[in-house]
Amino acid sequence: MAEDRPPETQPAIRATAMAADANPYGNIFVGWLMGQMALAAGSVAARHSGKRTPVVAADGFSFTAPVSIGDEVSFYAEIVATGRTSITVVVDVWRRDRHGEGIARAAKGTYILVSMGEDHRPSPVFAEGNPRG
């Protein structure tokens, strides 16, 4: 992926940055971005495993451009590793001006999620005979 443009895939989720999520300077709180990133990672991991997959760790964050009120924010999530019960997802965040085509990478980070069984305990990502595995 080129560093100056978003991935050519569809984002896992897309959101509009709202005033309720901003600081007094009109920029969106990093905590809101991290929460949306976790939602994107969870969506991709759950679809991959077919199970509930909560976030258990987050790492390697960089915040490279401010997100302003009204910006369209796209969250691209890619599975980069799968363990027996864990799924590692990198989320790449891009912002676009509300009334233009100006884009910039806003953030990037890694989430580790765990596949959970019906008993709410870690479960293999893929069960025996599961065609996804």
Side-chain angles (χ1 to χ4, degrees):
M1 177 186 75
E3 291 297 314
D4 61 343
R5 63 180 191 269
E8 294 183 15
T9 61
Q10 290 294 314
I13 61 173
R14 190 173 273 152
T16 300
M18 302 297 284
D21 303 310
N23 62 29
Y25 303 104
N27 293 324
I28 300 305
F29 287 115
V30 168
W32 180 84
L33 278 176
M34 291 177 73
Q36 297 299 307
M37 293 168 76
L39 289 172
S43 177
V44 169
R47 191 171 188 182
H48 181 72
S49 70
K51 299 177 184 175
R52 183 173 164 261
T53 53
V55 171
V56 297
D59 192 20
F61 287 93
S62 61
F63 300 95
T64 54
V67 175
S68 299
I69 296 169
D71 283 353
E72 178 185 88
V73 190
S74 298
F75 300 83
Y76 297 89
E78 178 183 5
I79 295 171
V80 294
T82 302
R84 191 177 85 74
T85 62
S86 66
I87 300 171
T88 302
V89 180
V90 169
V91 181
D92 198 16
V93 181
W94 286 77
R95 53 145 315 272
R96 182 184 61 81
D97 297 337
R98 176 83 174 163
H99 300 290
E101 296 302 317
I103 61 169
R105 172 183 276 134
K108 190 169 188 171
T110 302
Y111 287 83
I112 300 171
L113 303 95
V114 171
S115 175
M116 303 294 273
E118 294 294 322
D119 60 357
H120 300 284
R121 298 186 52 81
S123 171
V125 172
F126 298 114
E128 294 281 328
N130 182 338
R132 296 182 205 190

